[in-house]
Amino acid sequence: MREYRRPVQWWRDAVGYQVYVPSFADSNGDGWGDLPGVTSRLDHLSDLGVNLLWLSPIHPSPFADHGYDVADYLTVDPRFGTVADAERLVAAAADRGIRVLLDLVPNHTSTAHPWFRAARRSRDDPHRDYYHWSDGDPPNNWVSAFGGPAWTRDELTGQSYLHLFAADQPDLNWRNPAVAAEFDAILRTWLDRGFAGFRIDVPHVMSKHPDLLDNPAIPADLVAPDERGRVEWNSFEHLYDRDQPDIGDIFRRWRAVTDPYDAFLLGEVSLLDPVRLARYTAPGALHACFWFGLVRRGWEPAALASWIRSAATDVPGLVWVLSSHDRSRAVSRYGGGAVGRRRALVLSTATIGLPDLPLLYQGEELGLDDVHIPLDEAQDPLVRFGGGTFARDAVRTPMPWRPGPGLGFTTASRAWIAFGDRGPADTVAVQAADPASPLSAYRRLIALRRASPSLRSGAVEWLDAPAEVLAYRRGDCVVVANLGVSPQSLALPDGTWRVAFATSTVDGVVPGETAVVFRRE
Ligand code: GLC
């Protein structure tokens, strides 16, 4: 008789945390964060209550896009340590009940990857078809997400190669079975090393239309810059360079490799249309996708409440994020300083009980703002290629562990990126000793989720609420987030309800910009 595996679900119980490795902790004083540094700071993560760690890319890379340009998928860049360091980190995390995800970048390699080096040597090279080559300069109207054409002509063979990001990041040809086979082996290698799964970089662009058709242009008067100042990318309807109907074939193939390990596949799909997004988390595809509705928006109470509600209702398998290494931090987007911190905590509380899990970006638990880095000093290709006015450097600066030079991040006098103007009150050491700090609040909030099965399982029941209020019940918990400014009194379901967590004092009514978790007595 055929045996069926139970669906993989351990991650539904998790609280996630993104470690941006170059900026987390530097163990050897070279100004770069590294894997032994992460291992040395695991207690911070267990004290915070997180049990799922996503590491930003750790592979050898020329760093043209901060590691998202991979030159070897099977090893670790010496600036971050060794494979043995990665295995030690995974083991030390497991001792604390924390699982670790690797960042997998399957859409493109670096031009320094041996596959591309071989491919560009001749049209007949066996690796040529690992990438997209075409006559014409450029052969269609596709643009890079970082600005400029998506094709670069390679003089040696007189053809152009495709890169939906920087010219240093040629796109892989996923219609070539040899590429798929390479990645099967890459997945197995890291799962055998103890990783619990993968955060998958831009999976929605892996499959392109086979005829490389032109994308329809959007009339200029309808095009507006997005929140990172990009215009060119938004001037086209991306019908043919991403989100093709056969994309699910790749995920099904991966699942056959990864399911025997009970591994978690988390997609960085930046589509917001629930119908399109839900295809990525359909049965047999990825387990979950980030929902980027929050990182894309400022403080728009009614819109946020309705977006959260519809995404949570229509898309199975969501990971709730307010910040990342790619966007302005929530605190800055929501008004900065104390106002931004209050609002960010309100939204973190609002999403604490939504399926499937919340995930924090390093420093979010400290209520950090963006650091100001002048555009002409930015390393970010998004700015260097002229496609954006927001430099992601602003959210990639070192983690402030304690006051003083180097912030406890490094003993070096300089880091690979500016330290920023972090003050003592931004640091883990100072906040850990202050019960009123953001760190203390996030610890309490996460501890509540970890201690409340109701916030992690069962159906979400939406409660009637005004437009600027998000209110739902999950088992013996009710979460109410009043994003508006007017106080709201709400009729809770029958029973006696106790405040288990609140972002400010609640006395009969829920004040403006306040979120509360109630638990039934
Ligand atoms: C993803 C990464 C981003 C990178 C891009 C290209 O969006 O999060 O940092 O620049 O993919 O790999």
Side-chain angles (χ1 to χ4, degrees), residues 238-258:
H238 291 277
L239 285 190
Y240 301 119
D241 56 356
R242 68 177 187 191
D243 195 31
Q244 298 302 296
D246 60 354
I247 184 71
D249 297 348
I250 300 173
F251 308 144
R252 277 184 287 279
R253 176 178 181 127
W254 285 353
R255 286 286 297 273
V257 174
T258 62

Side-chain angles (χ1 to χ4, degrees), residues 65 68 105 108 146 165 169 199 201-202 268 325-326 392 396:
D65 185 20
Y68 286 93
V105 188
H108 42 264
F146 291 153
F165 295 90
Q169 294 167 294
R199 174 269 189 189
D201 194 59
V202 291
E268 189 228 6
H325 65 298
D326 285 330
R392 295 174 295 173
R396 298 177 176 186

Side-chain angles (χ1 to χ4, degrees), residues 348-486:
S348 295
T349 308
T351 50
I352 195 71
L354 291 180
D356 285 315
L357 67 138
L359 184 142
L360 277 75
Y361 176 52
Q362 73 181 45
E364 195 170 338
E365 73 277 27
L366 304 174
L368 296 184
D369 267 299
D370 294 351
V371 160
H372 174 70
I373 295 190
L375 283 188
D376 56 1
E377 288 172 25
Q379 305 179 25
D380 185 357
L382 185 60
V383 173
R384 283 191 289 111
F385 281 79
T389 52
F390 174 72
R392 295 174 295 173
D393 306 49
V395 300
R396 298 177 176 186
T397 58
M399 181 79 174
W401 294 101
R402 56 166 188 266
L407 296 170
F409 162 74
T410 183
T411 52
S413 54
R414 291 171 68 90
W416 71 279
I417 194 166
F419 287 112
D421 54 353
R422 301 299 185 205
D426 291 322
T427 63
V428 174
V430 170
Q431 291 202 15
D434 174 6
S437 67
L439 179 58
S440 298
Y442 279 93
R443 282 180 178 174
R444 286 196 302 273
L445 178 64
I446 293 170
L448 175 62
R449 178 178 155 104
R450 296 284 303 275
S452 313
S454 277
L455 286 174
R456 298 182 264 120
S457 56
V460 170
E461 179 194 340
W462 297 100
L463 306 178
D464 281 341
E468 298 186 335
V469 177
L470 195 76
Y472 57 90
R473 177 178 185 172
R474 219 174 170 192
D476 64 4
C477 289
V478 164
V479 177
V480 178
N482 178 8
L483 310 183
V485 286
S486 325

Side-chain angles (χ1 to χ4, degrees), residues 4-263:
Y4 289 92
R5 296 187 64 82
R6 278 193 316 121
V8 179
Q9 293 197 326
W10 56 261
W11 42 270
R12 288 174 195 241
D13 273 344
V15 176
Y17 188 95
Q18 176 185 0
V19 166
Y20 192 70
V21 180
S23 297
F24 196 64
D26 168 19
S27 71
N28 60 359
D30 65 357
W32 285 86
D34 48 44
L35 294 172
V38 179
T39 307
S40 74
R41 294 292 186 180
L42 284 174
D43 284 342
H44 169 66
L45 302 177
S46 31
D47 292 348
L48 182 57
V50 302
N51 54 358
L52 178 66
L53 216 59
W54 147 33
L55 299 179
S56 63
I58 56 173
H59 303 302
S61 162
F63 233 60
D65 185 20
H66 289 182
Y68 286 93
D69 45 323
V70 175
D72 179 352
Y73 291 92
L74 296 173
T75 61
V76 171
D77 192 304
R79 82 188 96 193
F80 300 132
T82 61
V83 169
D85 289 330
E87 288 172 332
R88 273 191 286 271
L89 163 56
V90 166
D95 289 344
R96 293 163 175 83
I98 299 174
R99 305 190 207 220
V100 187
L101 303 181
L102 187 82
D103 208 318
L104 182 76
V105 188
N107 177 65
H108 42 264
T109 68
S110 161
T111 44
H113 196 289
W115 299 338
F116 190 76
R117 284 188 193 322
R120 81 189 323 179
R121 274 201 290 268
S122 102
R123 292 192 187 197
D124 302 322
D125 188 277
H127 285 94
R128 184 77 171 178
D129 199 31
Y130 273 38
Y131 297 88
H132 300 268
W133 296 92
S134 196
D135 295 329
D137 183 22
N140 67 13
N141 70 354
W142 295 1
V143 293
S144 150
F146 291 153
W151 297 89
T152 290
R153 185 179 153 85
D154 209 40
E155 291 308 329
L156 193 62
T157 55
Q159 282 191 315
S160 301
Y161 64 89
L162 175 66
H163 53 89
L164 288 181
F165 295 90
D168 319 65
Q169 294 167 294
D171 280 38
L172 285 162
N173 172 14
W174 274 88
R175 294 188 194 283
N176 179 351
V179 169
E182 297 273 14
F183 274 84
D184 290 350
I186 292 164
L187 295 169
R188 280 198 193 93
T189 300
W190 289 98
L191 294 174
D192 286 338
R193 289 173 179 164
F195 280 78
F198 302 91
R199 174 269 189 189
I200 298 147
D201 194 59
V202 291
H204 53 299
V205 299
M206 289 167 67
S207 171
K208 283 90 176 165
H209 192 282
D211 299 330
L212 305 175
L213 301 176
D214 275 355
N215 282 320
I218 296 173
D221 54 330
L222 297 180
V223 177
D226 64 16
E227 73 288 354
R228 296 189 293 188
R230 294 184 308 171
V231 176
E232 204 177 6
W233 177 258
N234 302 318
S235 306
F236 294 92
E237 243 183 289
H238 291 277
L239 285 190
Y240 301 119
D241 56 356
R242 68 177 187 191
D243 195 31
Q244 298 302 296
D246 60 354
I247 184 71
D249 297 348
I250 300 173
F251 308 144
R252 277 184 287 279
R253 176 178 181 127
W254 285 353
R255 286 286 297 273
V257 174
T258 62
D259 275 2
Y261 295 85
D262 274 1

